[in-house]
């Protein structure tokens, strides 16, 4: 178990540039922050503010142009990528399914990391799916079922940190509730650290211990969730919470 005294993830002056057709622009601009271990940090902000890019840096899908990121005190440059991705797992809104059965998708961790999957049916049940889906083709699942399978596939590796990018946005309200309850239970029982991007402010309020607001590649506000919503420090935060941000 990692030391609870170290930040799960630490960002030090992170800048990331993307080169467009006309010019280079900073999609992240000097991000400095610490993710508390064992906590759920909800990340909110307008579309295009850099939230997904920030998550992609955490397990080296992208690399920063400036600054340094550490996971449990160890700079990303010192991690072997397979080990990092066992520890820090990213789940997207539209996670791609592999051709083949649900079971074949779940067994990805065995093929990639050598993790033994003792009870794949139990893994499905943990995310609200039934065991009889194991032999069904993953491509035939509904959008909500595919999202839950993507989550189950990630949980098979028992990561210490989960990076969640709008993972419930395509789900119906009942499925959203089930996925939220599953993740809250994981956080409570296993101490799994999470950074959870959501565009639903009520969801951020429900699930977050801490909430961050990003606007135009900058981290505008970081606070415990109660303070974030009831006593924000910045005018941009007040406008965003009120739905007045354009």
């Amino acid at each position: 178990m990692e030391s609870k005294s170290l930040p799960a993830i630490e960002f030090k002056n992170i800048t990331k540039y993307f080169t467009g057709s006309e010019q280079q622009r900073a999609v992240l601009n000097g991000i400095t922050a610490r993710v508390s271990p064992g906590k759920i940090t909800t990340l909110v902000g307008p579309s295009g503010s850099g939230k997904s890019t920030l998550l992609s840096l955490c397990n080296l899908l992208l690399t920063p142009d400036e600054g340094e990121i550490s996971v449990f005190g160890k700079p990303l440059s010192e991690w072997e990528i397979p080990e990092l991705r066992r520890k820090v797992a990213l789940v997207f809104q539209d996670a791609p399914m592999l051709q083949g059965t649900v079971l074949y998708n779940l067994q990805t961790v065995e093929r990639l990391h050598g993790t033994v999957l003792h009870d794949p049916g139990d893994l499905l049940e943990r995310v609200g799916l039934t065991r009889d889906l194991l032999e069904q083709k993953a491509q035939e699942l509904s959008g909500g079922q595919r999202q839950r399978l993507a989550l189950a596939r990630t949980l098979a590796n028992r990561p210490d940190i989960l990076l969640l990018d709008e993972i419930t946005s395509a789900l119906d309200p009942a499925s959203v509730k089930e996925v939220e309850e599953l993740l809250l239970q994981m956080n409570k029982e296993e101490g799994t650290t999470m950074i959870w991007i959501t565009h639903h402010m009520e969801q951020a309020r429900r699930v977050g211990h801490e909430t961050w607001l990003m606007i135009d590649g900058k981290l505008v506000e970081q606070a415990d969730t109660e303070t974030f919503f009831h006593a924000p420090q910045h005018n941009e935060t007040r406008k965003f919470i009120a739905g007045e941000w354009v």
Side-chain angles (χ1 to χ4, degrees):
M1 200 66 187
E2 304 293 344
S3 170
K4 292 294 183 183
S5 62
L6 291 169
I9 302 175
E10 184 169 13
F11 303 98
K12 295 179 183 175
N13 200 30
I14 296 300
T15 297
K16 179 68 179 175
Y17 297 104
F18 281 168
T19 303
S21 56
E22 297 178 9
Q23 61 184 22
Q24 194 179 60
R25 69 181 184 91
V27 70
L28 296 174
N29 198 340
I31 301 288
T32 295
R34 292 179 162 205
V35 178
S36 301
K39 301 290 187 184
I40 299 174
T41 299
T42 45
L43 183 54
V44 300
S47 296
S49 58
K51 303 183 299 295
S52 295
T53 301
L54 189 69
L55 290 201
S56 295
L57 295 175
C58 295
N59 74 348
L60 289 177
L61 285 179
L62 296 173
T63 54
D65 293 309
E66 297 171 15
E68 183 178 80
I69 301 173
S70 298
V71 171
F72 295 117
K74 182 177 174 180
L76 285 192
S77 57
E78 297 177 13
W79 286 87
E80 295 289 334
I81 287 180
E83 182 191 4
L84 176 68
R85 291 182 181 165
R86 275 197 300 271
K87 205 167 273 291
V88 184
L90 180 53
V91 187
F92 294 102
Q93 175 183 346
D94 297 310
M97 294 291 105
L98 301 175
Q99 292 288 342
T101 63
V102 168
L103 178 60
Y104 181 77
N105 272 265
L106 288 176
Q107 289 169 333
T108 301
V109 293
E110 296 184 334
R111 295 189 297 273
L112 287 181
H113 304 301
T115 306
V116 178
L117 199 56
H118 293 292
D119 190 348
D122 178 64
L123 204 53
L124 285 186
E125 290 176 347
R126 286 186 65 195
V127 297
L129 297 174
T130 54
R131 289 173 179 265
D132 59 5
L133 291 175
L134 282 170
E135 297 307 321
Q136 186 166 332
K137 289 183 179 176
Q139 304 291 335
E140 295 174 356
L141 299 178
S142 69
Q145 287 174 320
R146 286 198 300 272
Q147 187 62 70
R148 286 192 247 181
L149 174 56
L151 188 56
R153 191 171 60 186
T154 301
L155 298 184
N157 237 356
R158 301 184 66 84
D160 292 328
I161 300 172
L162 271 178
L163 310 172
L164 307 168
D165 193 351
E166 297 274 19
I167 62 160
T168 61
S169 62
L171 303 183
D172 62 84
S175 299
V176 170
K177 186 170 186 288
E178 286 180 5
V179 171
E180 283 184 9
E181 287 176 352
L182 165 71
L183 291 166
L184 289 169
Q185 182 182 5
M186 277 186 62
N187 170 260
K188 183 177 180 181
E189 294 180 0
E190 301 176 30
T192 308
T193 303
M194 302 178 194
I195 307 180
W196 191 329
I197 295 176
T198 178
H199 67 269
H200 291 295
M201 299 301 277
E202 283 306 313
Q203 183 176 64
R205 194 193 296 252
R206 279 196 305 271
V207 304
H209 298 110
E210 300 173 8
T211 300
W212 297 358
L213 171 64
M214 285 184 67
I215 295 175
D216 293 334
K218 295 180 180 177
L219 203 47
V220 173
E221 185 123 12
Q222 309 169 56
D224 69 85
T225 298
E226 188 73 14
T227 301
F228 182 93
F229 282 98
H230 291 105
Q233 298 297 301
H234 297 89
N235 190 45
E236 296 102 316
T237 312
R238 288 187 282 273
K239 288 174 66 176
F240 188 76
I241 292 170
E244 297 169 1
W245 188 265
V246 178

